[in-house]
Amino acid sequence: MAHQGNAWDREYRNPLLVTKNDGPQKDTLRFLKYLKKVEKYRVEEKNILDLGCGTGRNSNYLADLYNKVIGIEISKTALDIAKTRAHNMGVSVDYRLGDIGEKYDIPDNSIDVVLDITSSNSLDEKGREVYLEEVQRVMKKGGYFFVRALCKDGNQNVKNLLKMSPGKEYDTYIMKDIGLTERVFSRTDFLAMYGKYFKILNLEKKTSYTTFNNRIYKRDYWLAYMQK
Ligand SMILES: C[S@@+](CC[C@H](N)C(=O)[O-])C[C@H]1O[C@@H](n2cnc3c(N)ncnc32)[C@H](O)[C@@H]1O
């Protein structure tokens, strides 16, 4: 499935799934609140890495809070929207066209907070291994990592997709309408994978409803707060 850049770019040119919303993602705001309340940590004047930053809704918001933000995104269409929005907001973000499943041009131990808001689901196993190693490498010790990823457990729609439209790799299915392969995670797999690299501070499951091709789908997500 390589990096699936073409499928994502097609999706941004004619959006069926991604949001057109330009405000920060609600779960991102909850994560920031958690850091402030529980960890006594303010995400201001920090170095942030936003993986698969899309149209920049989280990157631009964080840049507006005086953070230095790098956003990596595979779709040029999305990145152009992100840049225009940043310009309109009067903020500056280091937007980079690139693959989060390949090595990052970022120094070791330099990033305070990493966001992966539903992006690494699109990686294949090889890319995921690079992503995990790279995030761990670029993060400062004690830095925070927020992952929002698709959850497999207890979701009938996921069960059907895995059966009817399986991808080549373990726990993947192909979303036929947009030609995109997605990886879903059981709780056990999620904990084993990330636990190898990071300390897991909090893991919860959250249900959202997405309208896709005029049908409503129940999507379950893992929201993971982690630390290096
Ligand atoms: C569901 S969207 C979420 C976008 C953004 N994080 C947000 O919350 O608005 C997933 C994003 O990941 C990007 N993406 C997928 N695979 C990628 C890869 N290998 N490298 C970089 N970006 C990727 C997609 O183009 C898309 O913008």
Side-chain angles (χ1 to χ4, degrees), residues 6 17 30 37 58 61 64 104 114 126 159 161 164 175 186-187 195 203 209 228:
N6 291 340
L17 185 65
R30 277 181 65 210
K37 289 252 156 73
N58 301 300
Y61 173 77
D64 200 33
Y104 310 158
V114 180
K126 220 172 113 203
K159 213 178 242 176
L161 281 164
M164 308 302 289
M175 310 246 307
S186 68
R187 185 184 180 88
L203 178 67
Y209 293 87
K228 175 170 166 185

Side-chain angles (χ1 to χ4, degrees), residues 2-5 7-9 11-12 17-19 21 23-25 28 50-58 72-76 78-79 96-102 115-124 127 148 180 182 219 221:
H3 58 52
Q4 307 203 84
W8 274 107
D9 206 61
E11 165 62 15
Y12 278 109
L17 185 65
V18 288
T19 178
N21 206 330
Q25 219 268 337
T28 305
D50 186 3
L51 298 171
C53 59
T55 54
R57 56 189 177 142
N58 301 300
I72 303 179
E73 170 56 50
I74 198 118
S75 159
K76 186 174 180 303
L79 213 55
R96 302 179 183 184
L97 189 63
D99 182 351
I100 61 168
E102 285 179 5
L115 303 178
D116 166 10
I117 318 284
T118 343
S119 303
S120 63
N121 288 292
S122 304
L123 293 173
D124 60 14
R148 182 176 189 263
L180 201 66
E182 288 186 321
R219 310 254 282 175
Y221 296 94

Side-chain angles (χ1 to χ4, degrees), residues 158-172:
V158 164
K159 213 178 242 176
N160 293 342
L161 281 164
L162 288 173
K163 194 166 154 211
M164 308 302 289
S165 184
K168 282 199 190 109
E169 294 187 333
Y170 175 69
D171 274 354
T172 60

Side-chain angles (χ1 to χ4, degrees), residues 18-206:
V18 288
T19 178
K20 296 187 188 88
N21 206 330
D22 61 359
Q25 219 268 337
K26 279 198 199 99
D27 295 325
T28 305
L29 295 178
R30 277 181 65 210
F31 169 63
L32 298 179
K33 213 177 206 171
Y34 169 90
L35 289 184
K36 195 165 142 190
K37 289 252 156 73
V38 181
E39 299 286 317
K40 313 289 177 219
Y41 184 91
R42 279 178 179 273
V43 184
E44 286 164 15
E45 298 181 18
K46 299 286 194 295
N47 292 332
I48 316 271
L49 174 60
D50 186 3
L51 298 171
C53 59
T55 54
R57 56 189 177 142
N58 301 300
S59 287
N60 291 340
Y61 173 77
L62 287 163
D64 200 33
L65 296 176
Y66 306 103
N67 294 291
K68 264 178 88 177
V69 186
I70 299 173
I72 303 179
E73 170 56 50
I74 198 118
S75 159
K76 186 174 180 303
T77 305
L79 213 55
D80 286 344
I81 297 171
K83 286 178 187 165
T84 303
R85 285 178 174 172
H87 177 79
N88 292 342
M89 282 173 70
V91 298
S92 156
V93 171
D94 180 357
Y95 281 120
R96 302 179 183 184
L97 189 63
D99 182 351
I100 61 168
E102 285 179 5
K103 290 211 180 315
Y104 310 158
D105 184 13
I106 297 173
D108 296 358
N109 308 306
S110 62
I111 303 287
D112 297 291
V113 178
V114 180
L115 303 178
D116 166 10
I117 318 284
T118 343
S119 303
S120 63
N121 288 292
S122 304
L123 293 173
D124 60 14
E125 291 301 311
K126 220 172 113 203
R128 192 176 324 283
E129 204 53 50
V130 176
Y131 141 90
L132 286 165
E133 276 164 15
E134 284 296 272
V135 171
Q136 142 80 26
R137 178 184 69 76
V138 302
M139 270 174 85
K140 289 181 188 169
K141 178 110 182 73
Y144 295 97
F145 185 18
F146 174 39
V147 174
R148 182 176 189 263
L150 289 164
C151 164
K152 175 186 178 187
D153 302 342
N155 186 306
Q156 193 54 45
N157 185 40
V158 164
K159 213 178 242 176
N160 293 342
L161 281 164
L162 288 173
K163 194 166 154 211
M164 308 302 289
S165 184
K168 282 199 190 109
E169 294 187 333
Y170 175 69
D171 274 354
T172 60
Y173 54 76
I174 303 165
M175 310 246 307
K176 292 230 165 89
D177 297 298
I178 48 180
L180 201 66
T181 301
E182 288 186 321
R183 164 80 148 96
V184 286
F185 299 94
S186 68
R187 185 184 180 88
T188 318
D189 286 353
F190 190 95
L191 287 173
M193 184 176 68
Y194 285 98
K196 215 174 116 187
Y197 293 87
F198 306 99
K199 181 173 156 202
I200 295 167
L201 304 172
N202 195 55
L203 178 67
E204 62 183 90
K205 185 173 145 179
K206 190 183 156 194

